[in-house]
Amino acid sequence: MSSERTVTRNVVVDATPRLVFQVLTETGNLRDWFCDTAWSDPRPGGRYALHWAQGYHVEGRFLEIDPPRRAVVSWHGTGEPGETRVAFELQEQDGGVNVQVVHSGFGPGSEWDEAEAQARRGWDAGLENLKSTVETGIDLRTARQPFLGIHLDLLTPERAARENIAAQWGIYVEGVVDGSGAQAAGLGHGDVIVSLGGMPTNSFEELGAALRARQAGDTVEVERVRGQARDTLQVTLGSRPQPELPDSAPALADRLAERQREANDALRAVLENVSDQEASLSPGEGDWSVREVLAHLSENERAFQMILSNLAVTGYLDGGPFYPDEIPGRLESILIVTPTVQGLLDRFLVDEAESEAFVRRLPETAVAYKARFRRIANQVLALPDHVVQHVEQIRQALAGVRDR
């Protein structure tokens, strides 16, 4: 009798076998429910690699693949005594798909005990999240994560130099959520979080790891850089809200268009009676003029269309943050071709209309997979907020120029 141990788990998912098989085997989709980064080549002999932010890593090969019914892979994770095998079997059941995972090859010795226990925990959590992401689009790892309550961006050395910030890397606070712990603690626009709970936050991944180490209700130390000053705040973490989002591309485009109109009314109002000469003046060394802000808005809209293309096809934009207007000469080239305030505004409004039209015509594959569509919707609906933030920047720039 074999002494080999096996972990078997089942879950029924309300979706088509084709979609579930893609979620189980394709690079971007694996990240939605199972790991933090992935690479996968789903063909016989193709390699795959999975990585978790906590440091666990798995590599293996596709030993069998029969879409959309069956896939078998070899599995060798960090610290495990040897290679094991994972088989995925999909069968239609009650209008959905029964997904069975059989993880086999755990040896009889005590050195295999932790690997088996980890597999049980991992597949229990993983399949629960598979069901949630496919059926609702909600990643339970994020939904159950404590909530800091900020609108964020990544601080880069270029931005730090431009805004005279005494840090090179960190989480740049664009704004705070009303009623959040971040707001109560005094975090605000322009602050940079460089550590949370004693863990560095030089990237989005590091911030996520720091938050995953905590629970909602915990009070943590947040190290903040504000300009040239550095201090520590006590921030109480909340529960992460899950906003209601549109369930179709046309509905998402309609909501985007409504928010665009509100943001653009504010933009037109702040630009009223602003001359081209006034808009060309910088309020201070290293600060953008009004014309440069308008050029940035246009360039950002076009860059987002590239991001949206990637999100629609793969679910992610890999390669790290990319800011086209930080390329030397990029904003200047826009201003050479389009020098007037009205021309820049018109250019931006056309770019914005193209974004709305693109959203309205998203491919059905991007909409059907709810995790991908939810990620797209969150990104899309943040666009008008970006405009509103720069309306305030324009207002401050004009005040600075006029106070000379």
Side-chain angles (χ1 to χ4, degrees):
M1 178 180 293
S2 172
S3 56
E4 178 181 285
R5 291 179 280 181
T6 298
V7 174
T8 302
R9 293 291 186 268
N10 290 273
V11 67
V12 177
V13 182
D14 185 12
T16 65
R18 181 175 179 273
L19 175 58
V20 175
F21 193 85
Q22 290 172 340
V23 173
L24 286 168
T25 59
E26 294 184 359
T27 296
N29 300 337
L30 282 161
R31 297 158 67 172
D32 287 329
W33 65 277
F34 198 40
C35 56
D36 293 307
T37 59
W39 184 85
S40 177
D41 181 15
R43 59 183 176 84
R47 298 194 64 85
Y48 76 91
L50 313 176
H51 183 75
W52 285 257
Q54 298 91 329
Y56 183 63
H57 183 81
V58 174
E59 291 187 0
R61 290 184 181 274
F62 282 85
L63 305 176
E64 301 176 36
I65 185 160
D66 181 20
R69 303 297 176 189
R70 175 177 169 83
V72 181
V73 298
S74 62
W75 178 287
H76 196 173
T78 304
E80 295 171 357
E83 186 175 278
T84 52
R85 176 178 294 207
V86 179
F88 300 97
E89 297 276 359
L90 279 64
Q91 290 188 337
E92 293 187 66
Q93 178 178 318
D94 300 329
V97 183
N98 181 72
V99 180
Q100 181 180 77
V101 176
V102 179
H103 195 159
S104 60
F106 300 99
S110 59
E111 69 270 21
W112 283 96
D113 289 349
E114 177 55 29
E116 182 192 11
Q118 182 168 278
R120 293 182 185 278
R121 293 191 300 269
W123 291 118
D124 283 343
L127 292 183
E128 181 188 20
N129 202 30
L130 172 73
K131 180 178 178 69
S132 179
T133 55
V134 172
E135 293 183 353
T136 71
I138 296 174
D139 183 346
L140 297 177
R141 297 170 300 178
T142 301
R144 293 170 177 172
Q145 198 178 87
F147 181 59
L148 182 57
I150 62 172
H151 303 295
L152 73 169
D153 200 350
L154 188 66
L155 179 70
T156 62
E158 295 80 9
R159 187 172 199 169
R162 187 170 66 244
E163 299 187 19
N164 194 29
I165 298 172
Q168 293 291 299
W169 300 97
I171 301 302
Y172 187 93
V173 178
E174 293 282 8
V176 296
V177 176
D178 287 342
S180 67
Q183 184 185 55
L187 280 167
H189 174 73
D191 288 346
V192 176
I193 298 171
V194 295
S195 74
L196 187 148
M199 299 176 67
T201 56
N202 294 325
S203 65
F204 298 136
E205 291 78 13
E206 287 187 347
L207 176 63
L211 287 171
R212 282 193 293 271
R214 301 289 175 166
Q215 296 181 347
D218 287 351
T219 298
V220 296
E221 284 192 351
V222 170
E223 188 177 1
R224 170 182 66 176
V225 174
R226 174 176 283 181
Q228 292 295 304
R230 185 179 293 252
D231 60 6
T232 301
L233 304 176
Q234 300 293 319
V235 179
T236 300
L237 303 173
S239 298
R240 184 170 296 275
Q242 296 298 317
E244 289 288 330
L245 295 172
D247 60 2
S248 70
L252 177 60
D254 287 343
R255 188 177 298 186
L256 172 62
E258 179 182 353
R259 298 189 65 181
Q260 284 175 335
R261 283 192 292 272
E262 294 171 358
N264 292 342
D265 285 346
L267 181 60
R268 289 188 181 93
V270 78
L271 292 175
E272 190 172 358
N273 298 322
V274 175
S275 69
D276 293 336
Q277 180 181 6
E278 188 176 44
S280 300
L281 300 175
S282 169
E285 185 177 355
D287 293 331
W288 277 349
S289 68
V290 171
R291 290 171 69 240
E292 287 171 319
V293 174
L294 290 172
H296 162 74
L297 286 175
S298 175
E299 181 58 41
N300 182 78
E301 202 72 27
R302 297 184 184 195
F304 176 76
Q305 292 166 15
M306 178 188 71
I307 292 171
L308 184 57
S309 298
N310 281 271
L311 288 173
V313 175
T314 69
Y316 289 86
L317 177 64
D318 286 323
F322 177 61
Y323 305 101
D325 53 34
E326 290 182 0
I327 299 173
R330 181 65 188 115
L331 292 186
E332 185 181 1
S333 67
I334 296 172
L335 296 176
I336 289 172
V337 175
T338 313
T340 67
V341 171
Q342 189 60 53
L344 289 165
L345 178 60
D346 290 344
R347 171 188 163 118
F348 166 64
L349 294 176
V350 169
D351 294 335
E352 200 179 50
E354 288 179 0
S355 294
E356 185 267 331
F358 188 4
V359 170
R360 193 172 297 278
R361 291 160 180 80
L362 284 169
E364 181 55 36
T365 51
V367 178
Y369 181 29
K370 291 185 173 62
R372 183 173 300 177
F373 186 63
R374 190 174 187 86
R375 184 178 304 109
I376 289 171
N378 280 318
Q379 293 266 3
V380 163
L381 295 177
L383 276 174
D385 294 336
H386 177 255
V387 177
V388 171
Q389 290 162 7
H390 283 293
V391 167
E392 180 57 31
Q393 184 182 8
I394 290 172
R395 186 175 288 112
Q396 293 175 5
L398 289 171
V401 167
R402 290 165 178 171
D403 285 344
R404 288 179 178 179

